[in-house]
Amino acid sequence: MVTTHLRRTHRKRFFFALTGLALALALALALALAQTAPALAAGRVEPAKAPVGLAYVVRYEGALAPDTLELLKRVSKAETLLTAPPDSVLLLERRAEEDKTAFAKVFQSQGHFAATIAATVEAAATPLVLTYRIDTGPQFELRRVTLTPAGGSDPAALPTPEQIGLTVPAPFAAKAIVEAEAKLTEVLHDNAHPFAKVADRQVTADFATHSVAVVWTVDAGPQALFGPAVFKGQTTVKESYLAGLVPWQRGAPYDARTVERFRKKLTSLELFNAVVVETGPVDPATGQAPILVELVERKHRTIKGGVDYKTDEGPGANLGWENRNLFGGGEKLSVAASGSGIEQSGEAAFDKPDCITPKELFRAKAKIVNEDKKAYKGQNATVTASLRRQFTESFSAAAGLGYRASRIAEDQSRPWEDDARYGFIFAPLEASYDGRDDVLDPQKGLLASASAAPYWGTLAGGADFLRPEFSLAHYLKLVEKPGIVLATRVSGGANIGASRNDVSPDLRYYAGGSGSIRGYSYQSVGPMRGNTPIGGGSLLTFSAELRWRVTELIGVVPFLDGGTAFTGALPPYDQPIMLGAGLGLRIYTPIGPVRLDVATPLARRKDIDDIAQFYCSIGQSF
C-alpha cells in the first residue's frame, strides 16, 4: 500500500480674477512645455519599450473541466508572468516546475491524488511553447471518517460524520473536509463543550483502492453549564439593565449560539464601540462557566441629517438628535425635523426598553405635519403610545393607543368645503418579522409587517372605520460575484367601513412617487378630478429591482414598479394598474448606498405625466 499524508497547513474684482486665471493657465502651459522640451528637441516621442526576454505561450493538454482549467491558470506562475518573459529557456523550465507543484496541490484538493503532470518547452518555436500534459487520474473516494477522543474526552460527546456534513462513501474534496472540521468544533461548542478543539487531523490516501480515510483527534474539553455574566468597562450604562438582557438561565447547558445571540444584542444597542464576549474557565465545583463581557462605551448623543431630491417633490432635508442612554438603562429620546416643498414635519419619540420584562419596549411618540399637496392642504398632529414585545430575534408584535387631529384648509375632493376638522382615536395592532441580513443594504432575507387599527371619529360627522395594512419585501442573492440581488416588495392597505369622502384626505390612499411607483409624480396615481388627485379608499403597490453591484463602489439597478390607489376599499376595483420602469445608480458608502434613480411611466397620460422623474437619496428604495 502506498500512502500520502496531508496536514493543515477633491469690475475690479473681475479684472483681478481674470488676471489670476490667465497667470495660472500660463504657468500650467510653461510646466507642460518644460516637461515635453526634451522630446520636442529630439523631434520625436520615444515609443514604449517592449518586454525584454523570451516570449512564450502556454498550452494545456488533457481532459480538464472548465473550472479546473481556470483554477490552474490562476495559480500558474507561467501564466501570471506572461508579461515578464524569462531571459532563458532554463528560467522558463523553472517556472514550469513550480507550476507542477502548484497543480498537484489543486488536484489533491479535488481528490485526484494520482494525477500526473508533465511540462515541455518547444525551444525552436517562436514564440516558445510551454505545454502541460495532464492526466488527472481517478477521483478518490472518502470511505472512512474516524473521530478519536483525546485528553480524557468522553467518546459519546463526539458527533457523527453525518452531523458534521460528511457522507461516506462520497467523492473526496478537501473543501468538504475543512468545512467539516469547522462544523465539528461548532457542534461541540453548541452542546455544552465551550473549549472543544481539534488536536490533530490525518488524511490518508490509498492508491491501491483509490480511497481516502480521515482521522480527527478531538479534545472535547470539560462539559459546562452557564454561569453568571460578568460585565466590565461600562461607565454610564447600568449593569442591571445589561444583566436583564442575558438570554440564558444560570445552570442551563452551555450553548455557543446563545452567547453569540447575546453579543449581537449588545452590539445592536448602539451604546458600545466594542463588545467582546468570552467564556471563562469552568468551576470544577459547580460545572458552571462564567461569561465575561468586556465593553467600550461610545458617545450616546448623536446629531444626524440628510438631503434628498425628487423631481416631483423638489429638494428636501432632514435633521435629528438623539440620546440613546437617557437614564442609564438604554432609554432613547429622539427629536427630528424634515422639510420639502410639499411637506414639513417635526416629531419627538421616547423609547423605554425592559419596560415590564427585557422583552418589552414602551414607545411614546408625537408628530406634527404641515402639508401643501395637490390633493389637499392642511395640518395634522398625532400622538401614540405602544408596547412592543420581542418574541424571537426576528419576530415582534405591538399594541397601542393614539389620537390624530387634522385641519384641512383645502380638499380637492370637496372644493366647496374649507377649514374642515377631523379627530380620531385609534388603536393599532401590529406584527412584524425582520429576517434581513443588513438593514441599509440587505442581500437576503424577508421583511414583513401586518397591522390593523380601528379608528373612531370624535368630532361631529366623523366616520368609524378599520384600517388594515401590510408590507412584504424579499431579498434573494442570485450571484455571489458579481453581487446580484433580486429585491421584491408588495404593500397595500384599505379604509374599511367608511366611504372615501368620509375619511380625512390625509388618511386616504395615494400612489405615485419615490416611495411607491417611480416614474409617476407624487400622489398622481389613483382617483383623479381632472388632473388633481383626490385619494382612494385602498391601495396596492409592488416593486422589483435587480441590484447588480458592478464594483465595490458602484452598482446598477434596473427596476419595475406598479400599482394604484382604488376608489373603494373593497372589490370590485375601478382603477387600472399603472407601471413605471427605470434604471438606478448606487454609490456604496460606509453609511449606506447613495441612490440615484430615473424612471419613466409606461402608460404616460397626456397633461398629467412627465416623460421621466428623477430621485436622489441615501439608502435603498426598500
Side-chain angles (χ1 to χ4, degrees):
M1 178 189 293
V2 181
T3 62
T4 299
H5 295 282
L6 306 173
R7 295 183 182 269
R8 285 180 296 199
T9 23
H10 177 239
R11 239 156 284 196
K12 215 179 244 185
R13 292 184 180 175
F14 177 77
F15 171 78
F16 286 128
L18 187 61
T19 302
L21 178 60
L23 287 172
L25 290 172
L27 180 58
L29 180 61
L31 288 172
L33 289 173
Q35 291 174 352
T36 57
L40 292 173
R44 59 189 173 84
V45 177
E46 292 290 341
K49 293 182 178 180
V52 176
L54 299 175
Y56 65 92
V57 295
V58 182
R59 294 176 180 169
Y60 300 85
E61 294 181 1
L64 298 172
D67 55 346
T68 300
L69 179 58
E70 183 61 31
L71 181 56
L72 295 179
K73 289 180 178 181
R74 289 207 303 266
V75 302
S76 168
K77 192 170 184 178
E79 291 277 8
T80 57
L81 295 178
L82 272 173
T83 56
D87 294 329
S88 67
V89 174
L90 181 62
L91 291 175
L92 180 57
E93 291 174 342
R94 185 176 300 171
R95 292 183 183 182
E97 288 300 318
E98 293 182 23
D99 281 356
K100 288 167 64 177
T101 302
F103 291 173
K105 292 180 181 179
V106 169
F107 291 123
Q108 289 171 0
S109 72
Q110 297 177 342
H112 295 282
F113 291 97
T116 59
I117 306 117
T120 60
V121 178
E122 295 180 38
T126 304
L128 303 180
V129 178
L130 169 58
T131 303
Y132 293 109
R133 294 178 176 86
I134 299 170
D135 180 5
T136 62
Q139 185 176 20
F140 285 37
E141 271 193 340
L142 177 64
R143 295 187 185 169
R144 185 164 59 90
V145 176
T146 305
L147 283 76
T148 303
S153 300
D154 180 4
L158 303 183
T160 64
E162 290 76 15
Q163 288 176 310
I164 60 175
L166 292 178
T167 302
V168 179
F172 177 86
K175 181 181 179 181
I177 301 303
V178 173
E179 290 175 346
E181 186 169 308
K183 183 69 174 178
L184 170 56
T185 54
E186 180 185 321
V187 168
L188 288 167
H189 293 166
D190 294 344
N191 288 275
H193 292 273
F195 305 107
K197 60 184 179 180
V198 173
D200 186 43
R201 178 187 68 210
Q202 199 171 64
V203 180
T204 305
D206 187 335
F207 284 73
T209 60
H210 299 151
S211 64
V212 180
V214 181
V215 178
W216 276 292
T217 304
V218 184
D219 184 357
Q223 192 171 15
L225 305 175
F226 272 120
V230 181
F231 298 93
K232 178 183 178 182
Q234 75 276 12
T235 56
T236 63
V237 180
K238 295 177 181 177
E239 184 172 329
S240 59
Y241 166 59
L242 299 175
L245 300 175
V246 172
W248 60 82
Q249 293 291 330
R250 187 168 177 174
Y254 178 91
D255 189 332
R257 292 167 295 189
T258 305
V259 177
E260 177 61 14
R261 189 164 71 248
F262 181 51
R263 186 195 65 80
K264 288 181 178 180
K265 175 63 178 179
L266 293 176
T267 303
S268 70
L269 298 176
E270 297 184 324
L271 298 174
F272 308 104
N273 278 325
V275 177
V276 178
V277 181
E278 296 179 341
T279 303
V282 177
D283 185 340
T286 64
Q288 295 182 1
I291 308 302
L292 311 176
V293 185
E294 189 166 352
L295 305 166
V296 178
E297 285 195 23
R298 61 179 290 188
K299 292 181 178 179
H300 303 316
R301 297 174 179 84
T302 301
I303 297 176
K304 49 189 176 182
V307 295
D308 58 52
Y309 178 82
K310 305 177 183 70
T311 306
D312 52 353
E313 299 182 36
N318 60 80
L319 183 65
W321 172 91
E322 68 179 20
N323 185 332
R324 295 179 298 278
N325 192 40
L326 190 62
F327 303 123
E331 304 87 354
K332 181 188 292 187
L333 176 65
S334 60
V335 294
S338 63
S340 68
I342 63 172
E343 182 178 309
Q344 304 81 46
S345 68
E347 66 177 75
F350 174 74
D351 290 354
K352 174 65 175 76
D354 198 10
C355 179
I356 300 173
T357 74
K359 294 184 177 182
E360 279 81 35
L361 172 71
F362 171 78
R363 167 170 289 186
K365 186 176 180 180
K367 184 175 183 179
I368 57 173
V369 183
N370 179 68
E371 298 174 290
D372 185 0
K373 300 180 178 178
K374 290 182 179 180
Y376 61 91
K377 296 180 182 180
Q379 301 82 38
N380 64 73
T382 307
V383 292
T384 57
S386 65
L387 191 65
R388 176 174 295 276
R389 181 178 176 85
Q390 196 75 37
F391 291 94
T392 69
E393 189 175 352
S394 301
F395 178 74
S396 64
L401 188 64
Y403 186 79
R404 181 183 180 97
S406 302
R407 172 189 174 271
I408 305 301
E410 296 180 15
D411 180 358
Q412 297 301 325
S413 68
R414 303 164 69 90
W416 60 86
E417 183 178 84
D418 292 338
D419 200 28
R421 306 297 175 110
Y422 299 86
F424 297 99
I425 293 174
F426 61 98
L429 299 172
E430 185 228 353
S432 63
Y433 177 86
D434 190 350
R436 298 172 295 174
D437 60 339
D438 189 293
V439 176
L440 291 177
D441 186 24
Q443 307 289 300
K444 60 182 179 179
L446 182 69
L447 177 64
S449 67
S451 66
Y455 278 69
W456 297 279
T458 61
L459 302 181
D464 298 339
F465 59 93
L466 178 67
R467 186 181 177 93
E469 295 181 314
F470 75 93
S471 178
L472 179 65
H474 184 258
Y475 310 89
L476 176 64
K477 193 157 198 174
L478 300 178
V479 180
E480 190 70 32
K481 290 186 179 181
I484 299 179
V485 175
L486 175 63
T488 55
R489 178 186 64 176
V490 59
S491 61
N495 292 325
I496 300 174
S499 68
R500 178 190 62 191
N501 291 339
D502 290 334
V503 177
S504 62
D506 53 0
L507 283 174
R508 297 176 196 156
Y509 288 100
Y510 306 85
S514 174
S516 61
I517 311 172
R518 287 165 287 185
Y520 297 89
S521 62
Y522 182 66
Q523 291 189 340
S524 69
V525 179
M528 307 279 282
R529 176 175 286 120
N531 297 341
T532 304
I534 57 177
S538 59
L539 174 76
L540 178 67
T541 63
F542 53 87
S543 299
E545 294 189 343
L546 198 62
R547 299 174 180 174
W548 176 20
R549 189 159 184 167
V550 181
T551 69
E552 287 296 312
L553 181 62
I554 300 296
V556 177
V557 180
F559 58 84
L560 176 70
D561 295 343
T564 193
F566 302 100
T567 300
L570 299 173
Y573 296 124
D574 54 351
Q575 298 296 128
I577 297 295
M578 309 294 281
L579 297 175
L583 187 64
L585 177 68
R586 302 292 182 267
I587 303 173
Y588 294 96
T589 72
I591 60 172
V594 176
R595 177 167 68 102
L596 305 169
D597 287 344
V598 60
T600 185
L602 297 185
R604 188 181 176 196
R605 299 163 295 179
K606 186 179 180 181
D607 299 328
I608 296 179
D609 301 321
D610 296 326
I611 191 170
Q613 298 285 342
F614 177 79
Y615 313 96
C616 176
S617 62
I618 295 176
Q620 296 284 11
S621 56
F622 61 88

